[in-house]
Amino acid sequence: MLRIAHVARLALTAGIAAVLAVGLTSSAEAATGNIRYFSASGQEARIDNPPDNVCINLRFRAQLLANNTNKTVSYFFGANCTNFTDNLPPGRAVAYNNPLSVRVIG
């Protein structure tokens, strides 16, 4: 009886270790930094540590869009990542393209 209990405890410990290892390695990726954008009237907004491959609708059309992340950002003229405009490398900014949505692509 003691041997069965010992084997069961070992199996439980191994199972918990496997769940923790998979759970920690499968977390979603995100860019480090922020995307800042400004309206034509000067209103500022930012998105901190945006997730990879997720379309993000901006609160307003961006007169100026700055990629202060460590990954490339695609920007789109339309909402819901429609009407692809261009890619913006890390550390770059763009003006007068008036995007309404963005996506971190890596």
Side-chain angles (χ1 to χ4, degrees):
M1 216 36 144
L2 276 165
R3 181 173 169 94
I4 293 173
H6 180 68
V7 170
R9 277 195 304 264
L10 284 176
L12 180 62
T13 302
I16 290 171
V19 167
L20 287 175
V22 170
L24 293 175
T25 59
S26 64
S27 62
E29 293 292 319
T32 301
N34 63 57
I35 298 169
R36 292 178 60 199
Y37 58 102
F38 300 83
S39 70
S41 65
Q43 182 181 6
E44 178 183 355
R46 64 191 249 175
I47 304 161
D48 292 319
N49 302 319
D52 288 358
N53 300 311
V54 174
C55 182
I56 301 169
N57 288 320
L58 305 180
R59 294 188 344 218
F60 47 80
R61 285 211 178 273
Q63 185 78 25
L64 174 69
L65 177 70
N67 179 7
N68 300 319
T69 72
N70 61 336
K71 297 185 178 184
T72 298
V73 172
S74 292
Y75 57 98
F76 302 81
F77 185 75
N80 302 316
C81 294
T82 58
N83 264 348
F84 171 77
T85 304
D86 206 352
N87 290 322
L88 191 59
R92 302 293 304 266
V94 65
Y96 304 110
N97 284 327
N98 299 315
L100 196 52
S101 56
V102 295
R103 175 180 294 155
V104 174
I105 60 171

